[in-house]
Amino acid sequence: KLGPHLMNILDGTDYEWKYFLIGFLGEKSSGVKYEPFIQEIKRIAENPTEIERACELDEVAQFALE
Protein backbone atom coordinates (compact mmCIF):
# COMPACT_ATOMS: atom_id res chain seq x y z
CA LYS A 1 0.00 0.00 0.00
CA LEU A 2 1.13 3.49 -0.78
CA GLY A 3 -0.66 5.27 2.07
CA PRO A 4 1.92 4.62 4.81
CA HIS A 5 4.74 5.82 2.56
CA LEU A 6 2.87 9.02 1.73
CA MET A 7 2.10 9.53 5.41
CA ASN A 8 5.83 9.30 6.12
CA ILE A 9 6.32 12.24 3.76
CA LEU A 10 3.64 14.30 5.54
CA ASP A 11 5.15 13.45 8.92
CA GLY A 12 8.72 14.09 7.78
CA THR A 13 10.95 17.11 7.37
CA ASP A 14 11.37 17.15 3.58
CA TYR A 15 9.25 20.23 3.01
CA GLU A 16 9.57 20.19 -0.78
CA TRP A 17 8.15 16.68 -0.88
CA LYS A 18 5.35 17.76 1.48
CA TYR A 19 4.54 20.75 -0.73
CA PHE A 20 4.29 18.70 -3.91
CA LEU A 21 2.37 15.86 -2.26
CA ILE A 22 -0.20 18.20 -0.75
CA GLY A 23 -0.53 20.06 -4.04
CA PHE A 24 -1.02 16.78 -5.90
CA LEU A 25 -3.66 15.60 -3.44
CA GLY A 26 -5.44 18.94 -3.77
CA GLU A 27 -5.54 18.68 -7.55
CA LYS A 28 -6.78 15.08 -7.46
CA SER A 29 -9.16 15.44 -4.52
CA SER A 30 -12.31 15.46 -6.66
CA GLY A 31 -12.07 11.71 -7.28
CA VAL A 32 -9.48 10.53 -4.79
CA LYS A 33 -10.18 9.77 -1.16
CA TYR A 34 -7.28 10.63 1.10
CA GLU A 35 -8.90 10.45 4.50
CA PRO A 36 -5.74 9.19 6.24
CA PHE A 37 -4.01 12.42 5.21
CA ILE A 38 -6.78 14.92 5.89
CA GLN A 39 -5.98 15.50 9.58
CA GLU A 40 -2.32 16.31 8.87
CA ILE A 41 -3.24 18.55 5.93
CA LYS A 42 -5.78 20.37 8.16
CA ARG A 43 -3.12 20.81 10.84
CA ILE A 44 -0.69 22.29 8.34
CA ALA A 45 -3.41 24.61 6.97
CA GLU A 46 -4.60 25.77 10.39
CA ASN A 47 -1.54 25.49 12.64
CA PRO A 48 1.67 25.30 10.59
CA THR A 49 5.10 25.32 12.13
CA GLU A 50 7.31 28.30 11.32
CA ILE A 51 9.22 26.36 8.68
CA GLU A 52 5.99 25.01 7.14
CA ARG A 53 4.75 28.60 6.90
CA ALA A 54 8.05 29.74 5.38
CA CYS A 55 7.78 26.95 2.78
CA GLU A 56 4.17 28.02 2.05
CA LEU A 57 2.83 24.63 3.06
CA ASP A 58 -0.07 26.27 4.87
CA GLU A 59 -1.18 27.92 1.63
CA VAL A 60 -1.00 24.74 -0.45
CA ALA A 61 -2.77 22.84 2.34
CA GLN A 62 -5.59 25.40 2.38
CA PHE A 63 -5.89 24.98 -1.41
CA ALA A 64 -6.02 21.19 -1.04
CA LEU A 65 -8.89 21.47 1.45
CA GLU A 66 -11.03 23.70 -0.78
Side-chain angles (χ1 to χ4, degrees), residues 4-62:
H5 299 290
L6 298 178
M7 209 50 218
N8 285 337
I9 294 170
L10 289 179
D11 287 338
T13 58
D14 188 330
Y15 299 100
E16 286 185 50
W17 264 109
K18 280 186 181 188
Y19 185 94
F20 289 111
L21 176 59
I22 293 169
F24 175 79
L25 292 173
E27 289 177 14
K28 304 297 180 189
S29 64
S30 60
V32 175
K33 299 289 183 193
Y34 55 95
E35 287 298 319
F37 313 115
I38 200 73
Q39 287 185 338
E40 181 63 9
I41 293 171
K42 280 184 179 179
R43 185 207 55 80
I44 293 169
E46 297 169 0
N47 192 25
T49 64
E50 286 185 38
I51 194 161
E52 288 171 339
R53 192 176 303 113
C55 293
E56 300 178 354
L57 289 175
D58 56 329
E59 294 175 20
V60 74
Q62 290 167 8

